[in-house]
Amino acid sequence: MNVKKRTPPLKLLQTEALLDRLKPPNHPKRSLIEKDVRKRKAGYIGEKSVDYHLSFLTDKKYMIFNDLRLPLAPDYFQIDSLLVTPCYSLAIEIKNIAGTVTIDPEFNQLSQNFKGIETGYPDPIAQANRQKLFLQKWFFNNKLPCPPIEFLVAFSNPATILKMSPGHKRIPPHDKMIHAQNLVSEISKMNTRFTREIIDVKKVKRLLLNQHQPSYSPILLTYQLTEADLIKGVQCERCSHIMIRKMGTWLCPNCDYVSRTAHLKAIEDYFLLIKPFITNQELRDFLQLSSAKTAAEILKSLNLKRTGSTKGTVYTKTFA
Ligand SMILES: [Zn+2]
């Protein structure tokens, strides 16, 4: 049962919004951002394909949480997919790496060979093992009996070739690196290994969902950009030209497209690119809108969390 569904990662949405609003077409950062959008999209598609394999676990005893980010003082830890059953928990780290992947257990590193280009990555086993330790601590901190915690590193691209470096056999812990299509059979093996019911699944579900905190990072800072690098205004969804407000609708002076809702994407862009909260003045500035009354009507219609009053009212967006 999929308890927490996967949605497009905030980082991907932010990078896409950035590409839509980056000012000059020949901006020096454009190609880097385009590359990152492609990479993040591929990663998301890879994660979705893992969700497909896990969708075969239809028994009610399985609870699947995708994209969890849990507090563990002083920081957070993130799990791509977490499977909770009454008898054990399984953290799945998803890797979307194309080409041939060679694992070197002596140096704890992984190298990718793709179209003749060699790239190194840290050993994902160490990363997944850390998550296991974090999870153990999480159960302890929440005063829950700690179940057996397993981890797997799932390679989402079925065309990826997994290899051990010469002279090394695939022995534990590297037998935990698998192709995503083998997830269900690995889980069946775990079911026979762990048979003692130890987890209060309802309680764990409630705690996990309550404690999940999406991560919001300032994307402009990441790319060392400022608001001056962004196109302001409501963009036409047909031709990207800036639209004008006319009789309660948005009109594109370039292609004559008319929209009642074109501002929604612009406001979403503001939240993704600038900060997850906005005032009336900031909205007018970003949408290039002169009327405070129209801005107030728009903000009211969005069902956002409101704090403060009159001119100082702040509207906050909550990301899932
Ligand atoms: Zn247009």
Side-chain angles (χ1 to χ4, degrees):
M1 191 170 60
N2 193 330
V3 181
K4 184 177 175 296
K5 292 207 167 35
R6 199 182 304 282
T7 51
L10 206 47
K11 254 287 172 47
L12 169 62
L13 299 177
Q14 287 180 301
T15 331
E16 282 177 331
L18 181 56
L19 212 49
D20 286 344
R21 290 200 172 258
L22 198 62
K23 218 180 244 172
N26 60 348
H27 194 290
K29 295 264 168 77
R30 187 174 294 273
S31 63
L32 169 69
I33 298 165
E34 279 170 347
K35 202 177 120 200
D36 287 351
V37 166
R38 279 197 300 274
K39 216 162 60 186
R40 283 171 191 152
K41 242 189 207 160
Y44 180 56
I45 292 168
E47 288 167 0
K48 292 292 274 183
S49 74
V50 170
D51 296 349
Y52 166 76
H53 294 296
L54 294 177
S55 72
F56 291 97
L57 303 172
T58 48
D59 194 306
K60 265 194 190 145
K61 71 176 177 192
Y62 300 112
M63 284 201 299
I64 301 160
F65 302 83
N66 292 311
D67 257 339
L68 270 182
R69 186 170 173 269
L70 300 168
L72 195 72
D75 209 349
Y76 290 86
F77 71 104
Q78 210 159 344
I79 304 174
D80 292 338
S81 287
L82 175 68
L83 178 79
V84 177
T85 81
C87 306
Y88 67 96
S89 278
L90 164 67
I92 304 166
E93 170 73 22
I94 303 169
K95 293 284 170 214
N96 180 60
I97 306 177
T100 301
V101 167
T102 309
I103 297 113
D104 184 340
E106 260 172 279
F107 287 100
N108 283 329
Q109 67 186 13
L110 180 158
S111 59
Q112 172 202 30
N113 194 307
F114 186 56
K115 293 180 179 168
I117 298 168
E118 188 130 12
T119 315
Y121 294 91
D123 187 349
I125 290 291
Q127 193 186 351
N129 197 31
R130 253 196 319 274
Q131 276 165 346
K132 172 185 165 162
L133 298 177
F134 285 145
L135 259 177
Q136 280 171 341
K137 211 166 167 207
W138 183 86
F139 275 96
F140 177 80
N141 287 356
N142 285 283
K143 301 186 172 57
L144 295 161
C146 188
I149 296 174
E150 287 291 305
F151 67 86
L152 287 170
V153 177
F155 285 80
S156 58
N157 185 341
T160 302
I161 297 165
L162 294 173
K163 271 187 181 173
M164 295 302 293
S165 62
H168 293 279
K169 284 209 170 86
R170 185 171 171 261
I171 50 165
H174 286 94
D175 57 342
K176 294 190 185 301
M177 296 177 65
I178 61 164
H179 276 292
Q181 63 264 37
N182 296 329
L183 268 168
V184 172
S185 67
E186 288 296 323
I187 290 166
S188 306
K189 283 187 218 161
M190 284 176 202
N191 290 340
T192 57
R193 267 173 63 207
F194 307 111
T195 51
R196 195 162 71 93
E197 293 199 4
I198 189 167
I199 300 183
D200 178 349
V201 276
K202 271 194 186 149
K203 193 170 176 190
V204 169
K205 174 183 168 186
R206 180 170 45 83
L207 287 169
L208 287 173
L209 293 179
N210 281 348
Q211 292 184 20
H212 165 70
Q213 287 267 335
S215 125
Y216 182 96
S217 56
I219 193 85
L220 293 182
L221 206 67
T222 308
Y223 289 100
Q224 292 175 299
L225 298 167
T226 67
E227 281 187 48
D229 292 294
L230 300 180
I231 299 165
K232 283 183 181 174
V234 173
Q235 289 172 308
C236 171
E237 55 193 71
R238 271 206 196 145
C239 74
S240 299
H241 199 279
I242 295 305
M243 304 178 95
I244 46 171
R245 185 83 180 167
K246 212 170 179 185
M247 316 250 283
T249 62
W250 298 97
L251 170 72
C252 177
N254 185 49
C255 75
D256 293 330
Y257 181 67
V258 179
S259 166
R260 281 190 172 276
T261 53
H263 56 278
L264 296 177
K265 161 83 166 73
I267 298 169
E268 191 67 17
D269 286 351
Y270 183 92
F271 289 138
L272 290 168
L273 298 173
I274 317 284
K275 52 184 168 58
F277 49 91
I278 196 166
T279 63
N280 184 301
Q281 174 68 53
E282 287 164 341
L283 182 85
R284 272 183 282 152
D285 175 61
F286 195 72
L287 298 193
Q288 306 276 282
L289 199 65
S290 52
S291 160
K293 196 171 154 257
T294 307
E297 281 166 10
I298 288 175
L299 285 168
K300 230 173 133 184
S301 72
L302 297 175
N303 283 324
L304 297 165
K305 197 180 120 213
R306 279 170 64 163
T307 40
S309 58
T310 61
K311 271 192 172 174
T313 306
V314 174
Y315 299 80
T316 305
K317 162 90 182 179
T318 316
F319 288 103

